[in-house]
C-alpha cells in the first residue's frame, strides 16, 4: 500500500529504544547529542521574534523565489561572510531539507545519482530516497586533517551522476572544503554537467583559526553550476522559524536556466511564509546575538575537550575545523553500538556512535559541542572514565 520511498523498516534502532526506556523511567542523563540550540541554555531575548508580527505580512503577494527585500537581506548576510552574491541568485526555502528537495527536483530524474560524502550527515539517506534519488558515497580521508579522497569521487561518478554534495564544515567531521578542493571538484564536475551542492549551514562556526578563510564558497563559483545552502536554523540558532536559502553560482546562462526552473518548483511548492520573509532582514540582524553565544560555547567546549582528551592516553579527539560537533576516537573494546548503549544505561550519558555517520571503521563517538559547559564537561568525563584504566601507568 505504501511507496518504497519510505524504508520498509522504520522501527527504532536499539539506541532509540534504550533512550525511550530511560525517558520512561525518568532516569537523568547527560545529552551529548543535543543539537537543538533553543534548548541549550542560550539567552534568547524575549522580543527576538517581534519582526514576525510586522503588519506588512497581512497582505499576500506571492513571489516564487522570495520577496526582494528578504533576498537582499540574505545577500547582505553573505557579504558579511565576505561572499558576493547578487540578490537575484538567492532563493528562499523553509529549511535546508526543503532546499535539498527543490534541488533534487531541479537536477535529477528518478534513479539519477548524487554523490554524498562519507562520513557525513545521516539525513541524506532519507532526503534522497524521498525524492527518488540514489546516493553514491565518496570518502573523506583523515591524515591529521580531513580531506576529500578524489580517487573515490572519480570512482563514484557514473553517467547518471547529477550532483556532488559537500558539507562545509561537515557534520560530524568538522572539516571545511578547502578552496583547492572545490577547484578540483569543479574541474571534475563542469565538463560532465554535474552540479555542486554545498551545505554551508555551519559556515559561521569556526573552531580552528583560519579554517573558514581557507574554505571554498560555492556561491562564488563562475565555472560550474553550484548551489550553497544556508539558513537561520544554524546561523541564528532559530530552527523553529523555518527560513533557509539557496545561493546559486556558476556561468550566467546556466544559473539563469536553473533559476527559471527553480521558480516553477517554488511556485508549485510555496513553502516559505510571508511573515518570515518580511521578518528576514530583522531576524538576520538580531540573530547575531545568538550566533555569538553559540560560537563562544562551541569554542569553549572544543578547547576543553581537546585538553581533557590530551590527559586520556587511550582516547583521541580529532581536529574539528568548524561546526557544532567533534569526534572522539576510543579503544575498540566493544562494538560502537554496545558501547553507546552501556554509556547511556550504565554511565548516564547519551552520545552518538560513529556508524550513524558512516565512519569507515570503529570506534568513533560524535559529540555535540552545544551543551552548557558544565554538563558537556561532566558528560565527556563519564565517557573518558570508561577507558581510564587503559594506558595509565601503575
Ligand atoms: C549538515 C546539516 N545540514 C542541514 C541541517 C538542518 O538544517 P535545517 O534546520 O535548515 O533543515 C543540519 C542539522 O543538523 C545539518 O547538520
Amino acid at each position: 500500500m505504501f511507496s518504497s520511498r519510505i524504508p520498509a523498516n522504520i522501527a527504532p534502532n536499539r539506541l532509540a529504544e534504550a533512550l525511550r526506556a530511560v525517558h520512561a523511567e525518568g532516569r537523568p542523563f547527560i545529552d551529548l547529542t543535543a543539537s537543538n540550540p533553543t534548548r541549550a541554555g542560550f539567552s534568547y531575548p524575549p522580543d527576538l521574534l517581534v519582526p514576525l508580527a510586522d503588519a506588512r505580512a497581512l497582505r499576500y503577494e506571492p513571489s516564487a523565489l522570495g520577496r526582494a527585500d528578504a533576498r537582499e537581506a540574505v545577500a547582505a548576510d553573505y557579504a558579511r561572510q565576505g561572499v558576493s552574491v547578487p540578490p537575484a541568485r538567492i532563493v528562499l526555502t523553509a529549511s535546508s531539507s526543503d532546499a535539498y528537495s527543490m534541488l533534487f527536483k531541479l537536477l535529477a530524474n528518478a534513479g539519477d545519482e548524487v554523490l554524498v560524502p562519507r562520513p557525513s550527515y545521516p539525513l541524506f539517506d532519507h532526503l534522497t530516497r524521498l525524492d527518488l534519488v540514489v546516493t553514491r558515497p565518496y570518502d573523506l580521508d583523515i591524515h591529521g586533517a580531513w580531506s576529500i579522497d578524489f580517487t573515490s569521487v572519480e570512482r563514484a561518478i557514473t553517467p547518471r551522476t547529477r550532483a556532488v554534495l559537500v558539507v562545509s564544515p561537515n557534520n560530524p567531521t568538522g572539516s571545511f572544503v578547502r578552496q583547492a578542493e572545490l577547484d578540483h571538484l569543479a574541474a571534475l564536475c563542469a565538463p560532465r554537467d554535474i552540479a555542486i551542492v554545498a551545505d554551508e549551514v555551519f559556515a559561521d562556526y569556526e573552531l580552528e583559526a583560519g579554517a573558514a578563510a581557507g574554505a571554498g564558497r560555492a556561491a562564488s563559483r563562475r565555472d560550474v553550476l553550484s548551489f550553497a545552502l544556508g539558513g537561520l536554523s544554524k546561523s541564528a540558532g532559530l530552527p523553529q522559524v523555518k527560513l533557509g536559502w539557496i545561493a546559486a553560482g556558476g556561468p550566467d546562462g546556466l544559473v539563469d536556466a536553473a533559476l527559471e526552473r527553480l521558480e516553477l518548483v517554488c511556485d508549485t511548492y510555496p513553502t516559505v511564509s510571508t511573515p518570515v520573509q518580511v521578518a528576514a532582514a530583522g531576524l538576520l540582524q538580531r540573530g547575531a546575538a545568538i550566533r555569538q553565544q553559540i560560537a563562544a560555547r562551541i569554542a569553549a567546549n572544543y578547547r576543553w575537550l581537546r585538553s581533557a582528551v590530551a590527559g586520556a592516553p587511550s582516547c583521541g579527539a580529532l581536529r574539528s575545523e568548524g561546526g557544532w560537533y567533534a569526534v572522539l576516537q576510543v579503544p575498540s573494546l566493544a562494538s560502537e553500538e554496545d558501547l553507546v548503549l552501556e554509556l547511556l544505561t550504565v554511565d548516564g550519558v547519551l552520545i552518538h556512535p560513529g556508524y550513524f555517520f558512516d565512519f569507515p571503521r570503529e570506534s568513533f563517538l560524535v559529540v555535540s559541542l552545544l551543551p552548557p559547559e558544565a554538563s558537556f564537561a561532566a558528560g565527556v568525563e563519564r565517557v573518558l572514565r570508561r577507558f581510564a584504566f587503559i594506558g595509565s601507568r601503575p
Side-chain angles (χ1 to χ4, degrees), residues 95-97 121 167 171 199 201-202 233-234 325:
S95 63
S96 53
S97 297
Y121 186 42
V167 185
N171 170 6
D199 185 331
V201 298
F202 292 113
S233 172
K234 311 295 187 229
Y325 303 94

Side-chain angles (χ1 to χ4, degrees), residues 53-195:
D54 191 310
R56 285 177 297 161
L58 291 171
R59 185 193 289 270
Y60 184 39
E61 287 168 341
S63 162
L65 299 181
R67 277 174 66 102
D69 54 355
R71 295 163 77 194
E72 278 159 23
V74 172
D77 201 56
Y78 273 103
R80 171 184 64 78
Q81 298 181 347
V83 180
S84 165
V85 197
R89 288 184 166 205
I90 304 286
V91 179
L92 301 186
T93 68
S95 63
S96 53
S97 297
D98 191 29
Y100 279 116
S101 180
M102 287 177 186
L103 292 174
F104 294 150
K105 288 176 174 69
L106 171 73
L107 298 167
N109 291 316
D112 279 347
E113 297 166 1
V114 298
L115 308 195
V116 297
R118 177 173 61 190
S120 194
Y121 186 42
L123 203 63
F124 281 141
D125 288 343
H126 294 312
L127 288 172
T128 48
R129 190 174 173 143
L130 287 169
D131 267 309
L132 302 176
V133 177
V134 175
T135 57
R136 285 176 63 81
Y138 66 90
D139 295 319
L140 304 181
D141 272 350
I142 179 132
H143 304 289
W146 293 93
S147 59
I148 295 175
D149 170 1
F150 281 97
T151 311
S152 74
V153 175
E154 291 191 45
R155 219 177 17 236
I157 291 176
T158 76
R160 297 206 72 171
T161 307
R162 308 306 316 139
V164 176
L165 275 43
V166 299
V167 185
S168 179
N170 187 33
N171 170 6
T173 61
S175 46
F176 282 91
V177 174
R178 285 183 290 281
Q179 183 65 51
E181 291 181 303
L182 202 55
D183 292 346
H184 192 156
L185 264 189
L188 286 174
C189 291
R192 295 173 169 87
D193 289 337
I194 296 173

Side-chain angles (χ1 to χ4, degrees), residues 268-287:
T268 312
Y269 292 90
T271 56
V272 192
S273 79
T274 301
V276 82
Q277 296 190 46
V278 169
L283 294 176
L284 279 160
Q285 225 167 27
R286 290 161 168 242

